[in-house]
Amino acid sequence: QVRLVESGGGSAQAGGSLRLSCTASGDTNTEYCMGWFRQAPGKEREGVALIDSDGDPSYAGPVKGRFTISEDKPKTTLYLQMSSLKPEDTAVYYCAAMSRMCFRRDELLPSSEYDYWGQGTQVTVSS
């Protein structure tokens, strides 16, 4: 079992920045793929970013160039640096992890591919 705990959510003005963190504990494997998802009110959960077993990132179109996914493997921590925030980025953001390796370039994987989820952290962007 893997436990994921997100932190760093909050409020920001449009154009501002926030950094989300996700700390993994339990039966972790630093080679496994991890990602960030978000869910806005009344909408389905959508993939935001993925980092594969080689450390290569993939991003959803709406966040490309504004968000950066990274990881600190010794600390088993995943990050999402969000810049140039827009009101449409408002959502609950979830950290997710697979129980296997994956290798992707510019391709996100659906939520069904992930085995573990955090509880989510709210991000609210005001105009």
Side-chain angles (χ1 to χ4, degrees):
Q1 280 288 349
V2 175
R3 182 168 181 250
L4 303 174
V5 179
E6 302 100 334
S7 62
S11 299
Q13 296 218 325
S17 300
L18 286 172
R19 188 176 82 156
L20 306 183
S21 300
C22 171
T23 301
S25 61
D27 187 19
T28 60
N29 184 314
T30 58
E31 303 301 320
Y32 290 167
C33 285
M34 297 188 72
W36 288 97
F37 286 74
R38 67 186 181 185
Q39 188 166 18
K43 294 189 176 182
E44 292 189 355
R45 190 172 297 190
E46 63 176 0
V48 174
L50 170 152
I51 189 161
D52 76 0
S53 300
D54 280 339
D56 292 322
S58 298
Y59 299 97
V63 309
K64 197 172 291 186
R66 300 188 297 120
F67 290 10
T68 302
I69 188 171
S70 62
E71 59 186 353
D72 182 346
K73 287 190 173 181
K75 296 182 179 180
T76 58
T77 302
L78 183 72
Y79 300 101
L80 186 68
Q81 177 67 47
M82 305 185 293
S83 302
S84 301
L85 284 164
K86 303 176 180 180
E88 50 264 43
D89 294 321
T90 295
V92 177
Y93 283 72
Y94 298 90
C95 169
M98 299 182 193
S99 56
R100 62 178 178 86
M101 299 171 71
C102 77
F103 300 93
R104 290 290 184 273
R105 284 189 180 273
D106 290 328
E107 179 186 359
L108 297 179
L109 293 173
S111 59
S112 58
E113 294 289 330
Y114 292 82
D115 302 290
Y116 305 103
W117 293 84
Q119 81 288 352
T121 186
Q122 176 71 46
V123 171
T124 302
V125 183
S126 58
S127 58

